[in-house]
């Protein structure tokens, strides 16, 4: 394979294969890029979407830049990839998507914005990333479903939740007593049906960028 992509709960490999033929690997951790570079034929492109950070050492910027120095094109988006791209873009890593842009601009700066828990066997997420909740409630305001005040209340409540317990449902439960009933109902319907999944959207953008680069 000319491309290797570290992918997990942001987008399933089955869906990713519809966008790009690549070698799909589990969420990245320390040592994974070095292992790719030791192969007789390293990939031309590495994509980083998801990564490990609690039970395993996170991938380091130094390891990313070692790949860049060897001529490997490294893309990052969505989650750990967006974090590392925001740090390493000045030295050649390529950041993709809204989440990367939020980190690169300083609009967000906390690692817990992208942190979730997930089932390692199935890859299914068991919580919602804070950054997805932010962009979703922003979209609800843009559509006229809720006011800016409701957005602020929702975002503040979600941020106070410990990230393994952070879900749209839990946040809606917390804010229900203080939101206008109509706006709470509108937001609940929005999260149940039309809310964007920015992590998944950014992962697809990364795959598209790799596909276009490889031609």
């Amino acid at each position: 394979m000319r491309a290797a992509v570290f992918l997990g709960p942001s987008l399933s490999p089955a869906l990713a294969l519809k966008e790009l033929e690549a070698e799909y690997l589990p969420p990245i951790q320390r040592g994974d890029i070095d292992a790719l570079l030791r192969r007789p034929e390293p990939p031309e492109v590495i994509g980083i979407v998801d990564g490990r950070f609690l039970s395993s050492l996170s991938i380091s910027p130094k390891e990313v830049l070692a790949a860049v120095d060897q001529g490997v094109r490294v893309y990052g988006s969505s989650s750990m990839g967006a974090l590392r791209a925001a740090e390493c873009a000045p030295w050649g890593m390529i950041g993709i998507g809204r989440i990367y842009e939020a980190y690169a601009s300083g609009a967000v700066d906390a690692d817990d914005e992208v942190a979730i828990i997930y089932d390692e066997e199935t890859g299914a997420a068991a919580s919602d990333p804070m950054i997805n909740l932010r962009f979703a409630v922003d979209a609800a305001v843009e559509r006229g479903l809720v006011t800016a005040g409701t957005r602020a209340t929702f975002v503040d409540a979600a941020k106070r939740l410990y990230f393994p317990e952070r879900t749209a449902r839990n946040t809606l439960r917390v804010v229900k007593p203080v939101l206008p009933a109509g706006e709470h109902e509108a937001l609940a319907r929005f999260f149940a049906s039309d809310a964007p999944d920015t992590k998944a959207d950014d992962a697809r953008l990364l795959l598209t960028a790799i596909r276009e680069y490889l031609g």
Side-chain angles (χ1 to χ4, degrees):
M1 288 290 184
R2 298 171 65 194
V5 180
F6 293 92
L7 189 65
S10 292
L11 187 71
S12 72
L15 291 175
L17 277 168
K18 297 179 180 180
E19 308 288 338
L20 174 71
E21 184 178 350
E23 178 184 4
Y24 289 101
L25 301 167
I28 197 166
Q29 60 185 335
R30 186 74 55 86
D32 283 347
I33 288 181
D34 288 342
L36 288 180
L37 298 180
R38 287 195 297 269
R39 290 181 176 180
E41 294 186 16
E44 295 176 45
V45 177
I46 294 172
I48 303 173
V49 176
D50 294 300
R52 299 175 184 271
F53 71 98
L54 281 179
S55 59
S56 306
L57 289 175
S58 299
I59 189 71
S60 68
K62 182 178 180 180
E63 195 171 347
V64 170
L65 296 179
V68 173
D69 289 344
Q70 291 190 32
V72 179
R73 199 169 177 92
V74 184
Y75 292 82
S77 78
S78 303
S79 192
M80 181 63 71
L83 287 170
R84 289 297 171 264
E87 296 170 325
C88 298
W91 297 277
M93 187 176 179
I94 302 165
I96 300 287
R98 293 184 70 187
I99 296 170
Y100 159 71
E101 291 168 1
Y103 277 110
S105 69
V108 297
D109 58 8
D111 289 1
D112 84 312
E113 290 280 336
V114 294
I116 62 167
I117 56 171
Y118 63 96
D119 186 313
E120 295 200 10
E121 291 187 6
T122 67
S127 63
D128 293 327
M130 183 69 216
I131 197 74
N132 267 15
L133 297 177
R134 283 186 187 277
F135 283 127
V137 77
D138 284 350
V141 173
E142 290 169 6
R143 296 190 191 186
L145 300 176
V146 299
T147 63
T150 288
R151 171 178 57 193
T153 299
F154 182 90
V155 168
D156 288 346
K159 191 68 175 177
R160 286 196 297 270
L161 292 171
Y162 182 41
F163 80 88
E165 300 169 358
R166 187 180 288 145
T167 63
R169 177 179 292 183
N170 283 346
T171 308
L172 286 164
R173 175 181 50 78
V174 170
V175 300
K176 187 173 183 178
V178 296
L179 290 187
E183 291 199 29
H184 184 275
E185 292 170 8
L187 198 54
R189 287 195 301 270
F190 182 63
F191 274 108
S193 57
D194 297 330
D197 183 344
T198 309
K199 270 196 175 186
D201 292 342
D202 283 3
R204 290 187 178 93
L205 290 175
L206 177 144
L207 299 175
T208 298
I210 293 175
R211 186 180 68 243
E212 290 176 350
Y213 171 71
L214 292 174

